[in-house]
Amino acid sequence: MSRVKEFDVDEACDAALALFRRQGYEATSVSDLVTHLGVAKASLYATFGTKHDFYVTALKRYAERTDTRVLAELSKPGSGVAAVRRLLDGYVADILGEDGPIGCFVVNAAIELLPRDPAVARIVERSWDTLEVALTMALERAKAQDELPAGSDPATLARFLLTVLQGLRVLGKGTDAASRLHAAVSQAMRVLIRD
């Protein structure tokens, strides 16, 4: 008969996600995880494997949740440009909110571990691909609604916006974040809006 887990696996994964997101991979020790989660080291290893395995599990969970929210936001009916604007404004609000300086776990992972960690790179690239495809679909809708400037290519604009969005996450860690982020969003919208 198998032994019953002494802790809630989902709660432990969420707690580890928060710790890894705040401290990063290298700065988080197994002892930190044991202390933060209140779970014995042997139980962590038995459930999640190595610290790296646990990090990858937490990152995957974060990316899936974030990607689901982004897809839902960009696929709402109505104006494609308005959907993109809501997404940009939502990023800025998140960044300037209480957890802002912690940053996006996907971006933090990319900065800390790419390109040397293939498992993390796959999750990061998949998340970026998802965001780019969702942006492309919203911009295709905007093009069909005659909202974009003549000759606009939704795929190219989506890649530009992907870069802007990830840049917002990085700049959000700085001290003069608000003015930089608002200026970047305003400029990005000027690129999108039909004259």
Side-chain angles (χ1 to χ4, degrees), residues 80-81 84 133-148 152-158:
V81 168
V84 170
V133 167
L135 285 163
T136 301
M137 291 187 316
L139 293 166
E140 289 283 0
R141 191 168 75 243
K143 185 174 182 176
Q145 295 165 336
D146 202 30
E147 295 180 308
L148 299 180
S152 293
D153 175 34
T156 301
L157 286 172

Side-chain angles (χ1 to χ4, degrees), residues 35-63:
T35 301
H36 187 72
L37 277 58
V39 176
K41 186 188 290 189
S43 294
L44 284 181
Y45 283 125
T47 304
F48 298 106
T50 65
K51 177 181 111 169
H52 185 265
D53 294 336
F54 201 3
Y55 181 86
V56 167
T57 298
L59 179 61
K60 194 178 298 182
R61 174 179 284 231
Y62 177 90

Side-chain angles (χ1 to χ4, degrees), residues 74-182:
L74 289 174
S75 59
K76 287 181 182 173
S79 164
V81 168
V84 170
R85 180 64 194 237
R86 282 192 307 271
L87 182 70
L88 287 164
D89 288 342
Y91 264 55
V92 170
D94 285 348
I95 293 164
L96 298 178
E98 189 175 303
D99 290 342
I102 295 171
C104 169
F105 193 8
V106 171
V107 172
N108 293 349
I111 291 168
E112 183 179 12
L113 297 173
L114 267 57
R116 72 181 191 277
D117 190 320
V120 171
R122 281 190 295 276
I123 296 166
V124 169
E125 291 290 342
R126 189 177 321 120
S127 182
W128 288 345
D129 288 346
T130 299
L131 177 53
E132 189 172 342
V133 167
L135 285 163
T136 301
M137 291 187 316
L139 293 166
E140 289 283 0
R141 191 168 75 243
K143 185 174 182 176
Q145 295 165 336
D146 202 30
E147 295 180 308
L148 299 180
S152 293
D153 175 34
T156 301
L157 286 172
R159 186 152 290 180
F160 161 72
L161 289 170
L162 171 67
T163 304
V164 170
L165 288 164
Q166 301 316 297
L168 293 174
R169 295 286 198 195
V170 174
L171 290 175
K173 292 175 169 282
T175 55
D176 188 27
S179 65
R180 287 182 173 142
L181 301 183
H182 289 299

